[in-house]
Amino acid sequence: MPLTQEETERYARHLSLPELGEEGQEKLKRAHVALTGLGGLGSPAALYLAAAGVGSITLIDPDTVSLSNLQRQILHATDAEGTAKTASAARSLRALNPAVNVMEVCTRLTPENAGSLLEGCHLVLDASDNYAARFAMADAACALRLPLVYGAVKGFLGQVAVFAPHEGTACYRCLFPSGTPMEEEDTASAAGILGAHAGMIGCIQALEAVKYLAGIPSPLVGAMLSADTLRMRFTTVPLAPNPACKCRENGREGAAMKN
């Protein structure tokens, strides 16, 4: 899939990067990303994925746009209030880059549908705001041997990690095993959040996704970035795989998740 003349002009600043170049841009053009959650994290992530030239993006979110979203969810405009977030987001992304194939899935990701929704993708970006979706997404990504770019925010704290158990890294359940007490009220949807802080974490997720798809090495593959943007402190912590986790059942190559 060589780049067209228009794409060569659009992505000129990418093509000037020796780490990316034409080969990396063609990889992005062939890539398919599934993005779950079109809120404070998913908004900037989706915009930068589309702007970067990721060829296909599947948007997964069951919610509609509300006025309280607009302080941080920059994909959506005021006149989108009451409409499906997937429709609002798709409209913004197509306006930004008409060459990107945007697919809308206005439904909740669950253990029952996660596999079918993520099948055929090359990378999964977790911008969800509830643990049920995160676990379902992580299990399906592991089963399908897909890298998962995880992000979460609360207050001025944020986390980003890239899980690729098929490459020998930890998976999401290595970090949060079954039985870990997690209450829904602990998620960002029930806490205060500064829009620019969520935007920063979402941008880092998009950056990690682009790097992974283009073949650019990253220290966050198998590690977690912890960000405290109130104090502007950033720490990267390596994540060791849990030998007892199901993702280890086939050794370092990574196993399909077995329920």
Side-chain angles (χ1 to χ4, degrees):
M1 299 177 66
L3 302 178
T4 65
Q5 182 176 351
E6 181 180 338
E7 289 170 334
T8 299
E9 182 177 353
R10 179 183 286 267
Y11 307 122
R13 297 300 183 271
H14 277 182
L15 303 181
S16 299
L17 289 169
E19 297 87 354
L20 187 68
E22 187 171 346
E23 181 180 357
Q25 191 63 51
E26 289 176 354
K27 289 179 180 178
L28 294 179
K29 183 177 179 178
R30 294 192 297 269
H32 183 178
V33 172
L35 190 159
T36 297
L38 298 171
L41 297 176
S43 286
L47 286 167
Y48 274 110
L49 291 177
V54 172
S56 298
I57 304 175
T58 296
L59 306 173
I60 307 170
D61 195 304
D63 296 330
T64 58
V65 178
S66 66
L67 193 61
S68 64
N69 298 152
L70 303 181
Q71 158 259 10
R72 63 199 178 281
Q73 299 181 18
I74 57 175
L75 260 179
H76 315 296
T78 302
D79 62 4
E81 184 180 5
T83 64
K85 286 187 178 180
T86 49
S88 170
R91 183 169 62 248
S92 297
L93 299 186
R94 289 169 184 147
L96 175 63
N97 191 345
V100 175
N101 179 26
V102 181
M103 290 153 284
E104 306 168 35
V105 181
C106 187
T107 190
R108 188 172 302 279
L109 189 142
T110 66
E112 291 72 31
N113 66 17
S116 61
L117 291 179
L118 304 185
E119 190 171 10
C121 297
H122 300 110
L123 180 142
V124 182
L125 193 147
D126 172 15
S128 58
D129 65 354
N130 67 89
Y131 294 117
R134 287 175 183 165
F135 279 120
M137 191 184 333
D139 290 350
C142 188
L144 295 168
R145 303 172 67 83
L146 299 174
L148 173 68
V149 180
Y150 155 80
V153 289
K154 182 178 181 181
F156 287 92
L157 303 179
Q159 296 177 334
V160 179
V162 181
F163 299 109
H166 56 290
E167 296 181 5
T169 78
C171 76
Y172 184 78
R173 283 194 182 270
C174 290
L175 187 63
F176 300 111
S178 299
T180 302
M182 294 183 179
E183 300 298 329
E184 290 299 324
E185 57 263 32
D186 289 339
T187 64
S189 61
I193 185 73
L194 190 64
H197 167 70
M200 179 180 292
I201 300 303
C203 285
I204 294 173
Q205 287 185 270
L207 176 60
E208 289 303 307
V210 167
K211 286 161 62 179
Y212 190 98
L213 293 169
I216 302 172
S218 171
L220 290 191
V221 178
M224 178 174 286
L225 174 70
S226 178
D228 177 349
T229 59
L230 184 62
R231 298 169 181 83
M232 279 300 168
R233 295 175 181 172
F234 298 82
T235 306
T236 301
V237 180
L239 300 175
N242 180 356
C245 184
K246 290 181 179 179
C247 75
R248 301 291 100 193
E249 288 181 0
N250 288 342
R252 296 191 73 255
E253 294 301 315
M257 185 65 67
K258 299 176 182 178
N259 295 322

